[in-house]
Amino acid sequence: MGTVNSRDVITLLHGAGGSYMHTLIREVFIRLSDGFGEVPLDLMDDAAVIGNTVFTTDSFVIRPIFFKGGDIGRLSVTGTVNDIAMMGGEPIALSLGVILEEGFPKSDLERIVDSIRDTAKEAKVHIVTGDTKVMERGSLDRIVINTSGLGVRPKELDHDIETLRKTRQPRDWLVPLNIRPGDKVIVTGTVGDHAVAVLSSREGVGFESNITSDVAPLNGLMLNLMEVGGIADAKDPTRGGVADLLQDWSEKSGLGIYIRESEIPVKDEVRAAVEFLGIDVLELGNEGKAVLAVSPEYVRDIMAVLHSHPLGKNAAVIGEVRKDIEGVVMETVVGGERYVGRPLGDPVPRIC
Amino acid sequence: MGTVNSRDVITLLHGAGGSYMHTLIREVFIRLSDGFGEVPLDLMDDAAVIGNTVFTTDSFVIRPIFFKGGDIGRLSVTGTVNDIAMMGGEPIALSLGVILEEGFPKSDLERIVDSIRDTAKEAKVHIVTGDTKVMERGSLDRIVINTSGLGVRPKELDHDIETLRKTRQPRDWLVPLNIRPGDKVIVTGTVGDHAVAVLSSREGVGFESNITSDVAPLNGLMLNLMEVGGIADAKDPTRGGVADLLQDWSEKSGLGIYIRESEIPVKDEVRAAVEFLGIDVLELGNEGKAVLAVSPEYVRDIMAVLHSHPLGKNAAVIGEVRKDIEGVVMETVVGGERYVGRPLGDPVPRIC
């Protein structure tokens, strides 16, 4: 008779966007990859690319379903729209899979569906197909939603493909292989807002904050930025936060990344919250922010576009890509340096 | 202070593919439709069509996850592949969204992922993108899976589009608006197998059977049938069964449908089970069967192809489309006639 130890079962960390999840993908899900597509499954990017089509999926298990600054409906549209935008695609159509617990109030469902409709309109995407399932009371915590999405190469950029290639988007899509030494690392706004807002919306956590989630579709902003050019890669720091994202970039590009803690935009109230909770703001999930790797000669124009856009007004250059270091290194506010490792997982479970 | 009555909350019937689910869609989800696409959301077909792309989604909450003749992995691939095939599309790529309960055994996950890989290979589709989430113990009954899928118009049929148009696929896709009076209604095999197999795999139901699920991808068979021509529409009788499917066809085409009970293929053991359980075999879900509306002059060739294929060997013509009757009417085995109404929902919950 064997005993089941923790390595034989799924834990919350396996869904939290850090090293546990990466290991699960490498050990189990990777066997599904057959290399199909321009950006296949084994690249483990935000989305797949097949021909000219960007295709992605995301399930949302956030708790609570209504939180400061958003709800599971807005999040479901935003998460998938942003995954497509981060590949350099223009999101067109979403599917909607809703799984409900028996006894779920119809009024809450209507509120969520209205939020989905409004966010889709804001992001200029269409909900084109759906599915509804119901599980018995006690078999599901209220509601989970899956959205999958289709995108295409933005028409606005068609004429400029040669320029884009010259400006180091050789694969036409925004992937880590485009990243080169010297690229500047930009974050489009303050980090940690979403995770802190969700946590403070939970009952019984013994922690309150007025911070609202940053959940917002970034495809409009990304289109403006791509028209400038010079973006090697873009990625949204959701589960696992900026720390997991930069580790990913470093591993996939084979390059080092150097960031300065003093440059990372963090709201005072978020800083207070993470200090109180003893967690690292770089490991917290965001839902309305992107991290960009930008060719140095384009940084000034990119920053100008960011600062003129409501979703980019707090953007900052936080570091650069280097070939003389390994992994992700941060100059701390006290002047020293430390490695930013891959987190085990986001310290706040079920934030998306 | 108000009281919540059953009309204000979601019940199991809202997810069971009958009139409750249709009402929920009409009352709540319909507000998401903006008419986008060749086959938009408000047509409520198996999949959407946008340009030349077929796009669909399905979540799977089946209990138990391993059942006679299949498992949730095989079902997840099959369900989405078949939705694309029923539109006349060729499935190309699937996304995979897995939501796990904390404590779920890794060995069971590996078994499911292997089954997904094998079924994808059988159906000649690629798993190209994925997402994993984990919920706390007690927040989810083990595992649910969402697959979404992309398909295209089969290349094999490109040269023959004019012929297909003449043979009444005017929209290039298989939709109920193609259905005309005189079309024969064909079911590709025995009905009820899946629901009975799943039910008999549950513990504590007090009912046993050796019936195995029919869960199988039908895209290969559908391609062979479309090469013959003459198919006005195809649909797989999943949740809500043949009864719900025919009611859908009748409402969407504005025509009557006449079927003969004696012609409907049902395995003896399934017939015994439904009599024992007091449920209607026409309301039971299937996962490896299609119902076809076929132009009369093509029926002989279509039946020949069906009977020569392992997944169609028990196919039968069960009736025809008529303009002189309303709704769905069945000639019973004792010689009378009765209306086949839309079921409230599939009598077996969580069969897919």
Side-chain angles (χ1 to χ4, degrees):
Chain A
M1 302 225 303
T3 54
V4 174
N5 74 44
S6 66
R7 293 182 53 191
D8 299 326
V9 300
I10 299 299
T11 68
L12 285 175
L13 279 172
H14 285 110
S19 58
Y20 271 69
M21 199 173 86
H22 286 266
T23 303
L24 182 68
I25 291 169
R26 271 202 310 274
E27 285 180 1
V28 180
F29 289 107
I30 196 71
R31 65 188 74 169
L32 296 173
S33 180
D34 58 8
F36 183 76
E38 277 64 30
V39 180
L41 182 63
D42 49 271
L43 285 189
M44 300 294 166
D45 215 314
D46 288 309
V49 179
I50 308 153
N52 201 41
T53 302
V54 187
F55 182 32
T56 190
T57 193
D58 224 336
S59 304
F60 300 89
V61 300
I62 193 165
R63 179 170 62 83
I65 55 176
F66 301 106
F67 51 87
K68 285 170 187 153
D71 60 77
I72 192 172
R74 180 170 176 80
L75 178 66
S76 298
V77 173
T78 295
T80 291
V81 159
N82 287 352
D83 278 348
I84 294 171
M86 294 305 128
M87 294 300 298
E90 180 186 0
I92 302 292
L94 301 189
S95 66
L96 177 71
V98 178
I99 311 178
L100 296 159
E101 184 187 17
E102 178 186 15
F104 191 80
K106 265 196 202 172
S107 55
D108 282 352
L109 180 62
E110 293 189 347
R111 192 173 153 198
I112 291 164
V113 169
D114 286 344
S115 174
I116 289 170
R117 182 197 53 202
D118 294 346
T119 312
K121 205 168 173 182
E122 179 183 339
K124 298 188 176 120
V125 294
H126 309 277
I127 312 290
V128 295
T129 189
D131 176 62
T132 310
K133 293 287 191 305
V134 181
M135 295 173 79
E136 305 91 330
R137 202 182 290 267
S139 295
L140 177 69
D141 183 10
R142 310 201 69 198
I143 180 173
V144 300
I145 296 181
N146 176 284
T147 52
S148 300
L150 292 186
V152 296
R153 178 155 195 85
K155 279 187 279 305
E156 290 81 349
L157 300 178
D158 268 359
H159 64 286
D160 207 21
I161 189 80
E162 282 311 310
T163 309
L164 287 169
R165 283 198 174 127
K166 277 181 215 148
T167 60
R168 302 228 318 286
Q169 296 168 16
R171 292 173 175 242
D172 303 352
W173 305 101
L174 307 182
V175 294
L177 288 173
N178 296 335
I179 297 174
R180 296 284 178 275
D183 284 352
K184 295 293 179 185
V185 177
I186 295 171
V187 60
T188 61
T190 55
V191 299
D193 303 19
H194 175 71
V196 170
V198 171
L199 199 55
S200 80
S201 302
R202 287 190 189 153
E203 285 178 28
V205 177
F207 155 70
E208 283 200 29
S209 159
N210 292 318
I211 290 289
T212 56
S213 166
D214 58 355
V215 57
L218 295 169
N219 52 325
L221 174 60
M222 278 301 295
L223 189 59
N224 293 352
L225 295 170
M226 287 193 296
E227 284 172 332
V228 174
I231 301 173
D233 198 11
K235 199 167 164 64
D236 52 340
T238 56
R239 285 180 290 174
V242 172
D244 192 65
L245 184 159
L246 294 179
Q247 195 62 41
D248 238 37
W249 271 2
S250 176
E251 287 178 14
K252 289 177 176 176
S253 69
L255 295 164
I257 295 173
Y258 192 86
I259 59 172
R260 280 166 287 275
E261 188 173 17
S262 59
E263 304 297 333
I264 300 166
V266 182
K267 285 183 179 149
D268 289 342
E269 201 163 357
V270 169
R271 200 181 299 278
V274 297
E275 278 170 15
F276 172 76
L277 295 164
I279 53 184
D280 184 347
V281 73
L282 288 183
E283 299 185 358
L284 290 181
N286 310 271
E287 293 293 343
K289 301 291 154 46
V291 180
L292 313 171
V294 176
S295 201
E297 64 272 29
Y298 288 86
V299 167
R300 200 178 134 177
D301 290 347
I302 287 284
M303 289 301 288
V305 169
L306 280 166
H307 286 156
S308 68
H309 194 286
L311 295 175
K313 63 181 190 292
N314 296 316
V317 179
I318 64 167
E320 57 271 332
V321 179
R322 284 166 55 170
K323 60 180 170 185
D324 61 326
I325 57 171
E326 282 185 17
V328 182
V329 177
M330 181 165 75
E331 182 192 87
T332 65
V333 283
V334 293
E337 288 181 347
R338 73 164 173 92
Y339 276 104
V340 178
R342 198 188 280 283
L344 294 176
D346 197 298
V348 186
R350 287 181 65 186
I351 57 155
C352 65
Chain B
M1 303 225 301
T3 54
V4 174
N5 74 44
S6 66
R7 294 182 53 191
D8 299 327
V9 300
I10 299 298
T11 68
L12 285 175
L13 279 171
H14 286 110
S19 58
Y20 270 69
M21 199 173 86
H22 287 266
T23 302
L24 182 69
I25 291 169
R26 271 202 310 274
E27 284 180 1
V28 181
F29 290 107
I30 196 71
R31 65 187 73 167
L32 296 173
S33 180
D34 58 8
F36 182 76
E38 277 64 31
V39 178
L41 183 62
D42 49 271
L43 285 189
M44 299 295 165
D45 215 314
D46 288 308
V49 179
I50 307 152
N52 201 42
T53 302
V54 187
F55 182 32
T56 190
T57 192
D58 224 336
S59 304
F60 300 90
V61 299
I62 193 164
R63 180 169 63 83
I65 56 177
F66 301 106
F67 51 88
K68 286 170 188 156
D71 60 77
I72 191 171
R74 179 170 176 79
L75 179 66
S76 298
V77 174
T78 294
T80 291
V81 160
N82 288 352
D83 278 349
I84 293 171
M86 294 304 129
M87 293 302 297
E90 181 185 0
I92 302 293
L94 301 189
S95 66
L96 178 70
V98 178
I99 310 178
L100 294 159
E101 184 186 17
E102 178 185 14
F104 191 80
K106 264 195 200 171
S107 55
D108 282 352
L109 180 62
E110 293 190 347
R111 191 173 154 197
I112 290 165
V113 169
D114 286 342
S115 175
I116 289 170
R117 182 196 54 199
D118 295 345
T119 312
K121 205 168 174 184
E122 179 183 339
K124 296 185 176 123
V125 294
H126 310 276
I127 312 290
V128 295
T129 190
D131 176 64
T132 309
K133 294 288 191 306
V134 181
M135 296 174 77
E136 304 92 328
R137 203 182 290 267
S139 295
L140 175 70
D141 182 8
R142 309 202 70 198
I143 180 174
V144 300
I145 296 180
N146 175 285
T147 53
S148 300
L150 292 186
V152 296
R153 178 156 194 83
K155 279 188 278 304
E156 290 82 347
L157 301 179
D158 268 359
H159 64 286
D160 208 19
I161 189 82
E162 283 309 312
T163 310
L164 286 169
R165 283 198 173 128
K166 278 181 209 144
T167 61
R168 302 230 316 287
Q169 297 168 15
R171 289 171 178 247
D172 303 353
W173 305 102
L174 307 182
V175 294
L177 288 172
N178 295 335
I179 298 174
R180 296 284 178 274
D183 283 352
K184 294 294 179 183
V185 177
I186 294 171
V187 60
T188 61
T190 55
V191 300
D193 302 21
H194 175 70
V196 169
V198 171
L199 200 56
S200 79
S201 301
R202 287 190 188 152
E203 284 178 28
V205 176
F207 154 70
E208 284 201 27
S209 159
N210 292 318
I211 289 290
T212 56
S213 167
D214 58 355
V215 58
L218 294 170
N219 51 325
L221 174 61
M222 278 300 296
L223 189 58
N224 294 351
L225 295 171
M226 287 192 296
E227 285 173 331
V228 174
I231 301 172
D233 197 11
K235 199 168 164 63
D236 52 341
T238 56
R239 285 180 291 175
V242 172
D244 192 65
L245 185 160
L246 294 179
Q247 193 64 42
D248 239 36
W249 271 2
S250 175
E251 287 178 13
K252 290 177 175 176
S253 69
L255 295 165
I257 296 174
Y258 192 86
I259 59 172
R260 279 166 289 274
E261 189 173 18
S262 59
E263 303 296 333
I264 300 167
V266 183
K267 284 183 179 147
D268 289 343
E269 201 163 356
V270 169
R271 199 181 299 279
V274 298
E275 278 170 16
F276 172 76
L277 295 164
I279 52 183
D280 185 349
V281 73
L282 289 183
E283 299 186 357
L284 291 181
N286 310 272
E287 293 293 343
K289 301 292 154 48
V291 180
L292 312 171
V294 176
S295 203
E297 64 272 29
Y298 288 86
V299 167
R300 202 178 129 177
D301 290 347
I302 287 284
M303 290 301 287
V305 169
L306 281 165
H307 286 156
S308 68
H309 195 287
L311 296 174
K313 62 180 192 293
N314 296 315
V317 179
I318 64 167
E320 57 271 331
V321 178
R322 284 165 57 168
K323 61 179 170 186
D324 61 327
I325 59 171
E326 281 185 18
V328 182
V329 177
M330 180 165 76
E331 182 191 87
T332 65
V333 283
V334 294
E337 288 180 347
R338 73 165 174 91
Y339 276 104
V340 178
R342 197 187 282 282
L344 294 176
D346 197 297
V348 186
R350 289 181 63 188
I351 57 155
C352 66

